[in-house]
């Protein structure tokens, strides 16, 4: 059976990534977060969102990879799950596409074991590879608790 799902494709640094669209609440224009002292390095700060504040995460920092300067295409993607919401900074948002589970390749063993827990697969698209993330598995339970 060919099960399709929708994913949001975006850019971090020089690579394309994707997350399940069901995890996305909203895509915001970039607003510089207010930094918080003594927070984890990957936490850029917080922004005013709805009736409270939203923690904003820099995935490039979390993944130990170089990022780009903030530009006109920079967005904040709001991720949700039950009572947990965060914003992730992305360099550009490309598209929402339908993909079949059969078109997704497994993650090779060359990556660290930890990475394989949150990289759910690889998708070949337009002569490039899109890295599929299970966005909530990127954070430890302790990190999630701090971000709530």
């Amino acid at each position: 059976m060919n099960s399709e799902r929708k994913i949001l494709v975006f850019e971090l640094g020089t690579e394309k990534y994707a997350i399940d669209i069901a995890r996305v609440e909203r895509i915001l224009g970039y607003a510089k977060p207010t930094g918080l002292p003594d927070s984890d390095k990957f936490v850029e700060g917080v922004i005013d969102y709805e009736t409270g504040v939203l923690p904003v995460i820099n995935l490039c920092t979390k993944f130990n990879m170089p990022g780009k300067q903030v530009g006109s295409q920079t967005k904040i993607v709001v991720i949700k799950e039950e009572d947990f919401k965060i914003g992730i900074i992305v360099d550009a948002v490309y598209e929402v596409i339908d993909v079949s589970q059969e078109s997704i390749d497994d993650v090779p063993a060359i990556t660290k074991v930890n990475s394989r827990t949150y990289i759910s697969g690889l998708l070949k698209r337009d002569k490039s590879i899109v890295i599929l993330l299970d966005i909530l598995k990127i954070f430890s339970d302790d990190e999630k608790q701090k971000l709530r």
Side-chain angles (χ1 to χ4, degrees):
M1 185 171 155
N2 188 8
S3 61
E4 295 251 329
R5 65 180 184 163
K6 290 187 181 304
I7 59 172
L8 174 71
V9 180
F10 58 90
E11 183 179 88
L12 284 177
T14 59
E15 306 300 333
K16 288 184 180 176
Y17 290 83
I19 55 177
D20 193 311
I21 195 70
R23 298 252 192 251
V24 176
E25 179 173 283
R26 183 174 297 163
I27 299 171
L28 305 171
Y30 180 79
K32 182 169 174 38
T34 301
L36 297 174
D38 295 326
S39 58
D40 289 319
K41 275 198 234 181
F42 61 86
V43 178
E44 288 288 313
V46 294
I47 59 170
D48 182 22
Y49 184 71
E50 294 179 343
T51 60
V53 294
L54 180 74
V56 177
I57 305 306
N58 185 323
L59 286 182
C60 288
T61 303
K62 178 77 172 150
F63 293 161
N64 293 316
M65 55 187 257
K68 289 184 177 177
Q69 295 263 349
V70 172
S72 62
Q73 298 297 309
T74 305
K75 305 289 184 211
I76 296 175
V77 178
V78 179
I79 306 298
K80 63 168 168 47
E81 176 164 317
E82 296 172 15
D83 65 337
F84 181 72
K85 283 187 191 177
I86 58 168
I88 59 169
I89 299 171
V90 301
D91 295 312
V93 171
Y94 288 115
E95 60 189 335
V96 175
I97 58 172
D98 292 314
V99 295
S100 66
Q101 195 58 43
E102 291 77 21
S103 67
I104 298 171
D105 292 328
D106 291 334
V107 181
I110 58 173
T111 60
K112 292 181 179 179
V113 172
N114 188 39
S115 299
R116 288 195 301 268
T117 61
Y118 61 78
I119 298 175
S120 58
L122 303 172
L123 174 69
K124 294 178 205 136
R125 181 152 174 85
D126 300 328
K127 298 181 183 178
S128 66
I129 302 288
V130 177
I131 301 166
L132 300 175
L133 299 175
D134 186 338
I135 196 75
L136 294 177
K137 288 185 179 175
I138 292 170
F139 306 102
S140 68
D141 290 339
D142 184 49
E143 289 170 336
K144 283 186 208 172
Q145 193 61 37
K146 288 179 189 176
L147 293 169
R148 280 195 159 83

